[in-house]
Amino acid sequence: GNSVTQMEGPVTLSEEAFLTINCTYTATGYPSLFWYVQYPGEGLQLLLKATKADDKGSNKGFEATYRKETTSFHLEKGSVQVSDSAVYFCALSGGSNYKLTFGKGTLLTVNP
Amino acid sequence: EAGVAQSPRYKIIEKRQSVAFWCNPISGHATLYWYQQILGQGPKLLIQFQNNGVVDDSQLPKDRFSAERLKGVDSTLKIQPAKLEDSAVYLCASSPTGSLGELFFGEGSRLTVL
């Protein structure tokens, strides 16, 4: 079946540091890939997505590239801010009903 | 545009009691999902509705969990009787037809079973 493995947290960075959160997946066919974010006290929300190989999703300074050869979708940001502190979930969508499968989440804390 | 509404936000019950959660999806969204998120884990799909029909309930513990979506709009998730391991956040999400995994989530209902 489909599965997502993402970097164990927590991750603690200083403001303006470079961020990478690793995500790899196992899936049949050609899934779509997503990063969702959960800010403190809020619901999950879509951060970015990519629907086919070599696509790059981007939003709010975050980027991730769909790498089929390495089955990866790593999340990056060049300069994090305190407001980026949240839990980040990698996910894939596949199958006839586009079922969304999530990784375990990575807690990011950014200190001023 | 109003988001996905869920209630109650918090519920504490004792094991073997029953509980119900309610969800009102975004207007016009045909697909509704219930996810269970246990602390330290990613959300796990319990049930997916397309309008008022069930698309996927393969991971729903049907001996104690039930869900319905009357008239293809609001939905209720019930647990009876609750077990300690049901302590989790229950997330409702909705999406328009053909969204390919782009879901809109509510804030969740946190259940604590004592």
Side-chain angles (χ1 to χ4, degrees):
Chain A
N2 295 339
S3 66
V4 174
T5 302
Q6 66 179 100
M7 179 174 162
E8 293 278 335
V11 175
T12 303
L13 297 173
S14 297
E15 207 164 23
E16 299 183 2
F18 183 84
L19 169 71
T20 300
I21 301 177
N22 291 336
C23 172
T24 57
Y25 67 89
T26 301
T28 54
Y30 303 95
S32 295
L33 301 175
F34 305 83
W35 279 98
Y36 278 80
V37 60
Q38 188 170 31
Y39 297 106
E42 299 184 17
L44 278 159
Q45 57 186 272
L46 180 65
L47 179 60
L48 54 84
K49 68 173 183 178
T51 58
K52 62 183 187 295
D54 300 324
D55 265 3
K56 178 185 284 188
S58 61
N59 186 24
K60 299 182 180 181
F62 290 88
E63 293 184 339
T65 301
Y66 189 163
R67 302 286 189 197
K68 189 168 176 61
E69 63 276 13
T70 55
T71 61
S72 65
F73 193 55
H74 304 321
L75 182 69
E76 296 182 337
K77 186 174 185 180
S79 177
V80 294
Q81 305 300 311
V82 173
S83 57
D84 294 327
S85 297
V87 182
Y88 292 82
F89 292 91
C90 185
L92 70 82
S93 171
S96 59
N97 62 338
Y98 304 111
K99 178 177 176 177
L100 201 60
T101 300
F102 285 89
K104 291 186 176 182
T106 302
L107 173 63
L108 170 67
T109 302
V110 181
N111 295 319
Chain B
E1 179 181 78
V4 176
Q6 290 189 245
S7 68
R9 288 294 309 279
Y10 305 93
K11 188 74 176 179
I12 301 173
I13 61 173
E14 296 191 348
K15 61 183 179 183
R16 292 188 289 275
Q17 287 187 323
S18 62
V19 63
F21 302 110
W22 172 83
C23 173
N24 185 19
I26 292 173
S27 177
H29 282 192
T31 311
L32 185 147
Y33 312 78
W34 284 102
Y35 280 83
Q36 180 192 57
Q37 186 177 13
I38 293 173
L39 187 65
Q41 298 182 21
K44 180 184 81 170
L45 179 67
L46 292 176
I47 189 167
Q48 177 181 345
F49 292 96
Q50 179 76 17
N51 296 309
N52 59 351
V54 175
V55 173
D56 185 342
D57 64 357
S58 57
Q59 297 190 92
L60 185 74
K62 298 180 185 64
D63 57 334
R64 298 183 299 105
F65 286 64
S66 64
E68 59 182 9
R69 190 183 185 195
L70 300 176
K71 302 180 182 178
V73 182
D74 293 7
S75 178
T76 302
L77 176 71
K78 296 180 181 178
I79 308 174
Q80 181 179 10
K83 292 186 175 182
L84 297 177
E85 59 261 35
D86 298 331
S87 294
V89 177
Y90 291 87
L91 301 169
C92 181
S94 68
S95 66
T97 302
S99 71
L100 300 180
E102 293 186 54
L103 274 56
F104 295 80
F105 284 85
E107 293 181 332
S109 295
R110 182 179 297 277
L111 173 66
T112 301
V113 182
L114 303 176

